[in-house]
Amino acid sequence: MIVSVVATGLFGSVLFLAAVRKFTFLGLKLAVMLFAAAGVYFVWNPDQMTRLAQMVGIGRGADLVTYATTLILFLTVVAAIMRERRSNEVLTQLVRRLAIQQARFPEGEDGRG
Amino acid sequence: MSRDESLWFVIAAFNEGPMIAEVVRGVTPHARVVVVDDGSSDDTGDQALAGGAFVATHLVNRGQGAALQTGIDFALAQGASHLVTFDADGQHDVAEALQMVSVCRSEGRDAVLGSRFLGTTVNMPALRRIVIKAAVIFTRLTTGLRLTDAHNGLRVLSRDAARKLRIRQDRMAHASEILSQIARLRLNWREHPVTITYSEYSLAKGQKLSNSVRILEDILFGGRS
């Protein structure tokens, strides 16, 4: 009971945040909201989860939840790594630009020989 | 030999304070030098400047590949006709680098790559020899270049070749990246024997075996994202 209430609170927060936040893609916003709403529903109707799981050939609802969670976590990690790559490239370009602009010249040199 | 104003040595340096001024002074009678101080915590930049080098400073450490690209960009902007990538730790021989430049010019090559296996190695540890030989085989398989050495930091590039190359591997995988771009761009290259001297200093600064795992990881998953 307590766990169900906590889980409802978590999914509810996600639903609320997704509703008020701006997303780059409307589709992603709808998907997150749908996911959170489904979360609230299945917390209170676990038997429905099991039915859904059996429809896709998985024994128990809990197993389906585990698989879905693993998949989402994996995609999140991949997205985070790609984001880090991109920001690393941007940082390198920024550092390079500064280094060249503020280069120090040795005595008696004005560059461009 | 008089100083060649259109020849630039590009040196990436990270915490090379003890040696860098001496290395730079070895070059400045013959060519111009840009040292990219890659976010060192010691006085590498000041030492390089005192030695007579142009100094571009990375405010944050970005790795040797990133530093070389910065130096190449700087030298090209200063009008370099040929560029030499040169190690900061005194492993390379200036006279040999100059020989490579004249070979590059007289044969009209895009790139001349140093090979320690055509040349000589002084005090090379056995384990390092094995690791580099493995890298040579890896390079042959992935790029088709029939090289005798890989990951040799001594290279000569023509202005044209340097403009075409774009190092995106910030860390150590840039050595493989340069070779794969040389293959892809179908540059006109050759190898040239060089001497690599493994001093106590260069060994302490050099690549550890464990780094090769990181390099492989960068090649497989890094770069083009």
Side-chain angles (χ1 to χ4, degrees), chain A residues 6-16 32-33 35-41 43:
Chain A
V6 170
T8 304
L10 283 173
F11 280 122
S13 314
V14 171
L15 188 60
F16 175 72
V32 172
M33 287 176 68
F35 182 81
V40 176
Y41 175 78
V43 163

Side-chain angles (χ1 to χ4, degrees), chain A residues 82 85-89 91-93 95-107 109-113, chain B residues 3 32 45-46 49 52-59 62 66 69-70 73-74 77-78 168 170 221 223 225:
Chain A
M82 285 174 64
R85 283 254 149 81
R86 263 197 300 279
S87 69
N88 264 333
E89 265 181 45
L91 180 59
T92 296
Q93 284 166 11
V95 166
R96 175 169 300 143
R97 181 72 67 88
L98 271 174
I100 292 173
Q101 276 178 359
Q102 306 188 343
R104 291 186 286 168
F105 287 21
E107 255 176 73
E109 289 274 10
D110 54 358
R112 300 197 182 279
Chain B
R3 179 169 139 116
R32 297 171 124 186
D46 293 336
L49 195 70
F54 291 73
V55 179
T57 308
H58 279 183
L59 296 175
R62 298 309 298 152
Q69 185 63 58
T70 299
D73 284 357
F74 182 83
Q78 295 290 326
R168 296 185 63 195
D170 281 348
F221 306 111
S225 59

Side-chain angles (χ1 to χ4, degrees), chain B residues 39-221:
Chain B
S40 300
S41 54
D42 68 359
D43 59 349
T44 297
D46 293 336
Q47 290 291 338
L49 195 70
F54 291 73
V55 179
T57 308
H58 279 183
L59 296 175
V60 187
N61 179 261
R62 298 309 298 152
Q64 193 178 27
L68 279 179
Q69 185 63 58
T70 299
I72 289 169
D73 284 357
F74 182 83
L76 287 173
Q78 295 290 326
S81 73
H82 281 80
L83 296 87
V84 179
T85 65
F86 201 72
D87 277 6
D89 55 13
Q91 274 195 49
H92 295 155
D93 185 277
V94 178
E96 284 178 349
L98 296 171
Q99 272 171 28
M100 286 167 67
V101 172
S102 50
V103 166
C104 190
R105 279 181 169 147
S106 64
E107 298 184 2
R109 303 271 180 182
D110 297 314
V112 177
L113 310 171
S115 169
R116 77 201 92 183
F117 297 112
L118 288 177
T120 36
T121 53
V122 181
N123 298 327
M124 187 180 202
L127 188 58
R128 184 155 307 192
R129 184 179 296 272
I130 292 167
V131 172
I132 292 169
K133 282 293 186 188
V136 168
I137 293 168
F138 180 84
T139 306
R140 280 195 191 187
L141 292 176
T142 53
T143 67
L145 297 182
R146 300 194 65 78
L147 289 160
T148 59
D149 194 1
H151 303 175
N152 192 315
L154 183 51
R155 313 171 187 86
V156 175
L157 298 169
S158 70
R159 178 179 181 83
D160 205 36
R163 282 171 67 170
K164 285 181 192 156
L165 290 177
R166 186 115 293 260
I167 303 170
R168 296 185 63 195
Q169 290 280 4
D170 281 348
R171 294 185 295 263
M172 295 310 296
H174 71 274
S176 303
E177 191 188 20
I178 289 172
L179 295 176
S180 73
Q181 291 192 16
I182 285 175
R184 193 160 44 79
L185 295 165
R186 297 175 189 283
L187 297 185
N188 175 3
W189 62 276
R190 67 166 285 174
E191 284 190 313
H192 192 274
V194 296
T195 312
I196 304 283
T197 306
Y198 291 86
S199 66
E200 208 170 297
Y201 179 80
S202 74
L203 283 174
K205 290 288 301 185
Q207 286 294 303
K208 306 276 188 297
L209 178 61
S210 57
N211 275 6
S212 53
V213 177
R214 178 72 184 268
I215 293 170
L216 197 60
E217 188 191 318
D218 278 353
I219 292 170
L220 294 178
F221 306 111

